[in-house]
Amino acid sequence: MSSAPVSPAEGIPFVKGHGTENDFVIIPDPEGRLALGPAEVARLCDRRAGIGGDGLLRVVRSANDPAAAPMAAEAEWFMDYRNADGSIAEMCGNGVRVFARYLVQAGLAEPGPLPVATRAGVRRTTVAEHGDVTVDMGRAVLPGPDGIEVAVGERRWPARNVNMGNPHAVAFVADLADAGNLYEAPGVSPAGVYPDGVNVEFVVDRGERHVAMRVHERGSGETRSCGTGTCAVAVAAARRDGRDPAVTGEPVEYLVDVPGGRLRITEFPDGRIEMTGPAVLVASGTVDPQWLGL
C-alpha cells in the first residue's frame, strides 16, 4: 500500500470510540492512501504519548485494499484492524460494532443491515439508528486437541479451544481474581497449539446462562471487553452445560459480563452466532502527520 503525501496543516482525521469499554482509534482512509505500519499504529494507541486505544480501526473501501478486494462485491467497507502493538488481527467483535456505528454516524452508510469486510470474512451488522449494534459473528469452530491448559503462575486450568475467526482458549475458574493481573500473556500448553498467539478468557458463573469473564488479548494485554471472546465464552459455556443448538434445534442465549459492560450472545441451530451490544463514539480530531512520522 502506498502512502499519499499528507499536509501537516490539514492533519490526519481520527475518531475515538468504544464498545463495552474496548476502545479504538478510528482512522478514516477511504481511498487506502495511508501506510500505517506497526510503529505508527503503536504510537497512535499509546495511552500516554498518543491517543490511546486497545486497537486501531482503519476505515477503507474494500476495493482499495488488496486484503479486502475479493469481498468488495459483498461489502463496500473493510475494517483493517490492528492490535495496540501494531500487529494485525483477523477480527474484533467490539471493533466491528464501533466500525459500523462510525459508518452510519459519518453518513457513509444507512442504519439497518450493513455488511463489513474483515480478514475473517464478511461480517453482517445491523445498526439501530440509536442504541445497540448486532453483529452476525459467523460460526464457532471447536478444533482439537483435547488437553489444552492455561496457567497463571503455578496454577493451571483446562481450557476449551474455540475459534471465532481468531483463536481463543476459554478456562472456567472459581474467581476472576485467579487470572492475576493479565499484564503478560498466560501460559498455554501444549506448545505449538497457537502458533500466532491466542486470546485467553477466564470465566465464572453468575447465574442461569449468565457468565462473567476477563480476557488477555494477544498483542494488547488485558482489555475491558473482547467481542469474539464473549462469543467463544458463550459457546464454551453452552457446551459445558450440555446445550448445543445444532442438537436441540433451539437457539441458546447467554449474557456475558465483561469489565466494561454486558453483551448478549445468541447461537442458532445453524451454528450462526449473533452478538448485541453498545457502540459509542466519544471524540474526534486530527493527528499531526509529522508527529506520526508520515
Side-chain angles (χ1 to χ4, degrees), residues 55-281:
L56 180 140
L57 312 174
R58 188 174 68 100
V59 183
V60 59
R61 283 192 169 87
S62 298
N64 295 329
D65 192 293
M71 296 177 276
E74 291 185 75
E76 179 181 3
W77 296 99
F78 171 50
M79 183 182 77
D80 177 15
Y81 178 65
R82 318 290 182 88
N83 294 313
D85 65 355
S87 59
I88 291 173
E90 301 89 344
M91 235 295 283
C92 175
N94 287 314
V96 76
R97 292 201 324 279
V98 172
F99 186 92
R101 173 60 67 196
Y102 166 78
L103 290 175
V104 170
Q105 286 197 208
L108 298 172
E110 297 295 324
L114 174 58
V116 174
T118 77
R119 287 185 175 85
V122 175
R123 292 293 182 258
R124 304 192 181 281
T125 74
T126 303
V127 186
E129 188 169 356
H130 305 287
D132 288 350
V133 177
T134 296
V135 183
D136 184 336
M137 297 290 288
R139 293 167 172 79
V141 176
L142 285 78
D146 294 330
I148 293 175
E149 290 186 328
V150 301
V152 175
E154 298 300 316
R155 304 189 66 180
R156 308 181 70 86
W157 299 268
R160 189 78 184 246
N161 187 1
V162 183
N163 194 290
M164 287 298 308
N166 57 359
H168 297 267
V170 180
F172 292 90
V173 297
D175 191 311
L176 290 179
D178 291 343
N181 58 42
L182 290 183
Y183 294 149
E184 298 181 358
V188 180
S189 61
V193 174
Y194 301 104
D196 299 318
V198 61
N199 303 301
V200 181
E201 287 82 20
F202 295 86
V203 187
V204 297
D205 289 300
R206 290 286 188 248
E208 179 73 12
R209 288 178 295 166
H210 183 188
V211 297
M213 61 173 265
R214 290 176 62 199
V215 58
H216 177 97
E217 290 196 62
R218 56 179 181 168
S220 296
E222 182 171 15
T223 59
R224 299 285 292 172
S225 181
C226 174
T228 56
T230 60
C231 295
V233 163
V235 169
R239 299 304 180 273
R240 179 203 61 174
D241 297 342
R243 296 186 174 101
D244 185 345
V247 175
T248 64
E250 297 291 334
V252 61
E253 180 178 294
Y254 276 76
L255 295 178
V256 182
D257 291 346
V258 294
R262 176 175 292 175
L263 293 165
R264 186 171 74 252
I265 311 299
T266 306
E267 185 180 10
F268 295 91
D270 63 0
R272 188 169 50 85
I273 298 171
E274 285 188 349
M275 175 184 62
T276 300
V280 183
L281 305 182

